Amino acid sequence: MREGQACIRAFVGFGVEQDTKEKLISRLSSVANSISQNSVRWVLEKNWHVTLLFLGEIPEESLKDWASEMTNGLTDFSPFQVEVKEIALFPTPAKAGYIVATVEASPKLLAVKAAIDQVAGRLNVEVETRPFRPHIT
């Protein structure tokens, strides 16, 4: 990156459909009553998403290239549903910073994640080595 270049904190992910949001809202109400409201950060419903790859701080001018590469790398995939497994405290219950809804790591989701990681590799972006734990935040 060049000095003084405008950067943006970016990730690759997908949004959550409204019917899934509605189901989660009803499940979250019981969790919300059992924890301190000040102990976790609540992500606004309109911002709920599943992150597939965190990019970090990248130059704004490279976003179009990223989007183009991701689109090209994902042309073989069609829309699919994700299955919400449970509501959890993230990263751990003892050190909760967020409430998340864990998502089933289906073969289709894992194939999309692998395709995104391949594109990232071609663009010289470091891919996390930690196990992928899909979740909605």
Side-chain angles (χ1 to χ4, degrees):
M1 261 184 299
R2 294 182 302 246
E3 189 175 325
Q5 192 173 28
C7 291
I8 188 166
R9 187 175 173 91
F11 64 90
V12 178
F14 58 88
V16 178
E17 292 186 349
Q18 190 59 38
D19 64 325
T20 301
K21 287 181 181 181
E22 290 169 7
K23 291 174 189 172
L24 283 174
I25 289 168
S26 66
R27 290 175 68 183
L28 283 170
S29 61
S30 63
V31 174
N33 294 330
S34 66
I35 62 168
S36 166
Q37 298 297 308
N38 297 325
S39 66
V40 295
R41 281 183 49 195
W42 291 87
V43 175
L44 296 175
E45 176 189 336
K46 68 179 183 176
N47 295 332
W48 288 356
H49 64 278
V50 176
T51 299
L52 298 171
L53 176 66
F54 180 67
L55 301 173
E57 299 288 330
I58 64 169
E60 282 188 53
E61 64 188 32
S62 67
L63 284 177
K64 284 184 182 178
D65 292 338
W66 258 99
S68 176
E69 289 292 330
M70 283 296 154
T71 299
N72 292 337
L74 297 172
T75 56
D76 294 338
F77 295 97
S78 57
F80 61 97
Q81 296 288 320
V82 294
E83 181 183 335
V84 175
K85 293 180 3 180
E86 65 182 350
I87 305 298
L89 298 173
F90 188 81
T92 66
K95 296 183 179 183
Y98 293 92
I99 295 175
V100 301
T102 61
V103 174
E104 180 68 36
S106 68
K108 183 86 168 202
L109 180 59
L110 294 175
V112 170
K113 169 70 171 139
I116 288 169
D117 287 351
Q118 283 183 334
V119 172
R122 288 195 305 267
L123 295 172
N124 297 317
V125 171
E126 188 175 324
V127 176
E128 284 195 39
T129 57
R130 294 182 296 179
F132 178 52
R133 297 179 2 189
H135 58 278
I136 297 170
T137 51

